[in-house]
């Protein structure tokens, strides 16, 4: 029953910009299957109520459909693809940002034995599971508050905490709990991911990023690959090319300049790697981007 009401609420409250009146909550509705698009995942819970979605991260693929949820515990470069949608039965999804501070607070308040034992090893940064009824029920109650603005200030924080608790005690609880731990393997890799994203145009030594993360080089390589499905250098390349794609929207006639700004000294290497990543040359993709072909919720992990 919760899934039926979830579909109705998502369908009724969906907006073109995906936003809702509840901070950190977004709704996706699309009535057509779109070509795969790239985006950053964000740290997010995504739930599909109708239709299907596929995400690719490195060489890993994640499909999720009605009644399933996806957790992205690190902001990762993903390729999203709505694979089951039409005008009569659109894909409908719910997304909620996962805030490490809120998870940390719940960890501090949990009593002995309230939470399963955590595993210290790094886990993949994206995971898919079937949503239990208690999680779907909490999401439905959160969405009902879109119709009750007078109740939102008091009740939204409470229902969000319940959703987080259901995640922390559920099948993917270990990776969600690691989001709230300052010294977890996930937090060390998140620090490295953030540094690479902020310095993607500059060359770096893996040894230096490992040191920044507080790990030995061997542990850093092992944990980074486990979480992101990529090596640090491959991750940097994905970030560079996604940044280039955004820049091309404003500078479609300056392919060489864009490549240089994101860290490529060789225009031919930039064009070659861009085509390999996105399937088209930078000049052709710039035209497509400016034409709005990417304005679709297929690009994000949400949902």
């Amino acid at each position: 029953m919760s899934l039926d009401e979830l579909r109705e609420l998502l369908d009724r409250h969906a907006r073109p910009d995906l936003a809702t009146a509840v901070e950190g909550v977004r709704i996706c509705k699309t009535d057509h299957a779109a070509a795969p698009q790239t985006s950053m995942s964000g740290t997010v819970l995504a739930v599909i109520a109708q239709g299907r979605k596929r995400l690719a991260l490195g060489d890993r693929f994640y499909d999720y459909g009605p009644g399933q949820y996806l957790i992205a515990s690190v902001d990762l470069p993903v390729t999203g693809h709505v694979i089951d949608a039409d005008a009569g039965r659109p894909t409908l999804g719910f997304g909620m940002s996962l805030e490490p501070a809120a998870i940390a607070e719940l960890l501090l308040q949990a009593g002995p034995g309230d939470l399963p034992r955590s595993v210290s090893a790094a886990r993949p940064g994206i995971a898919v599971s079937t949503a239990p009824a208690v999680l779907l029920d909490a999401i439905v109650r959160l969405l009902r508050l879109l119709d009750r603005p007078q109740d939102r200030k008091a009740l939204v924080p409470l229902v969000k905490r319940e959703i987080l608790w259901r995640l922390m005690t559920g099948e993917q609880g270990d990776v969600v709990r690691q989001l709230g731990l300052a010294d977890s393997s996930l937090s060390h890799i998140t620090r490295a991911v953030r540094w690479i994203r902020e310095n993607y145009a500059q060359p770096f030594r893996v040894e230096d990023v490992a040191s920044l993360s507080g790990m030995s080089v061997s542990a850093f390589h092992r944990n980074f690959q486990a979480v992101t499905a990529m090596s640090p250098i491959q991750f940097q390349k994905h970030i560079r090319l996604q940044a280039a794609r955004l820049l091309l929207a404003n500078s479609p006639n300056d392919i060489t300049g864009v490549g240089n700004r994101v860290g490529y000294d060789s225009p031919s290497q930039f064009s070659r790697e861009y085509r390999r990543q996105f399937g088209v040359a930078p000049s052709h993709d710039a035209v497509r981007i400016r034409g709005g072909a990417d304005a679709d919720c297929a690009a994000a992990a949400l949902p």
Side-chain angles (χ1 to χ4, degrees):
M1 189 64 181
S2 293
L3 195 57
D4 291 336
E5 186 175 359
L6 180 58
R7 292 188 191 101
E8 188 275 327
L9 287 164
L10 293 173
D11 189 47
R12 182 154 52 86
H13 289 288
R15 291 166 31 178
D17 63 359
L18 312 185
T20 72
V22 176
E23 184 178 359
V25 170
R26 303 173 77 193
I27 294 173
C28 171
K29 176 182 178 180
T30 182
D31 60 4
H32 62 281
Q37 304 294 341
T38 60
S39 179
M40 298 302 295
S41 67
T43 52
V44 68
L45 158 69
V47 179
I48 292 290
Q50 184 169 278
R52 299 195 69 82
K53 180 78 180 288
R54 176 174 295 155
L55 283 189
L57 171 66
D59 59 359
R60 300 174 191 162
F61 292 87
Y62 302 89
D63 284 16
Y64 54 122
Q68 293 183 302
Y69 71 94
L70 176 144
I71 294 291
S73 58
V74 183
D75 192 14
L76 296 169
V78 295
T79 301
H81 185 197
V82 172
I83 56 177
D84 182 15
D86 57 49
R89 191 171 176 82
T91 291
L92 297 168
F94 163 91
M96 188 179 90
S97 298
L98 299 177
E99 303 296 340
I103 296 169
E105 183 180 355
L106 281 173
L107 287 171
L108 290 173
Q109 293 175 353
D114 287 348
L115 293 167
R117 179 183 293 273
S118 292
V119 178
S120 59
R123 301 277 295 275
I126 290 178
V128 172
S129 289
T130 297
V134 288
L135 175 60
L136 293 177
D137 180 65
I139 292 170
V140 165
R141 284 186 279 109
L142 180 63
L143 291 172
R144 285 176 186 163
L145 293 173
L146 294 174
D147 295 318
R148 302 185 62 83
Q150 71 275 20
D151 294 338
R152 286 183 207 142
K153 186 173 181 180
L155 297 183
V156 162
L158 301 179
V159 184
K160 280 187 171 182
R161 284 167 59 85
E162 180 182 350
I163 291 171
L164 290 178
W165 183 257
R166 299 304 181 191
L167 294 175
M168 291 167 62
T169 56
E171 186 174 351
Q172 302 302 332
D174 190 62
V175 71
V176 176
R177 293 191 298 274
Q178 284 200 31
L179 267 170
L181 297 173
D183 199 39
S184 66
S185 297
L186 181 64
S187 68
H188 291 303
I189 296 305
T190 298
R191 193 179 310 149
V193 164
R194 185 181 304 117
W195 188 91
I196 294 172
R197 288 192 63 198
E198 292 173 352
N199 299 275
Y200 65 83
Q202 305 302 320
F204 64 83
R205 297 172 67 246
V206 172
E207 293 84 354
D208 294 336
V209 182
S211 177
L212 175 72
S213 304
M215 291 182 169
S216 68
V217 173
S218 59
F220 176 67
H221 268 294
R222 182 174 64 254
N223 284 281
F224 196 95
Q225 181 76 33
V227 171
T228 69
M230 290 173 258
S231 71
I233 300 302
Q234 289 172 324
F235 184 87
Q236 180 195 39
K237 183 173 73 173
H238 274 70
I239 299 300
R240 281 180 169 180
L241 293 172
Q242 288 197 358
R245 204 164 195 234
L246 292 175
L247 291 170
L248 283 172
N250 294 320
S251 305
N253 299 317
D254 188 18
I255 306 299
T256 298
V258 166
N260 186 258
R261 286 171 64 184
V262 301
Y264 285 93
D265 295 327
S266 166
S268 60
Q269 183 187 9
F270 171 58
S271 293
R272 182 170 60 252
E273 293 192 356
Y274 193 100
R275 182 189 293 271
R276 186 179 300 129
Q277 178 73 18
F278 300 119
V280 293
S283 56
H284 294 159
D285 202 28
V287 174
R288 186 170 65 177
I289 293 169
R290 288 177 67 84
D294 293 344
D296 196 290
C297 61
L302 161 66

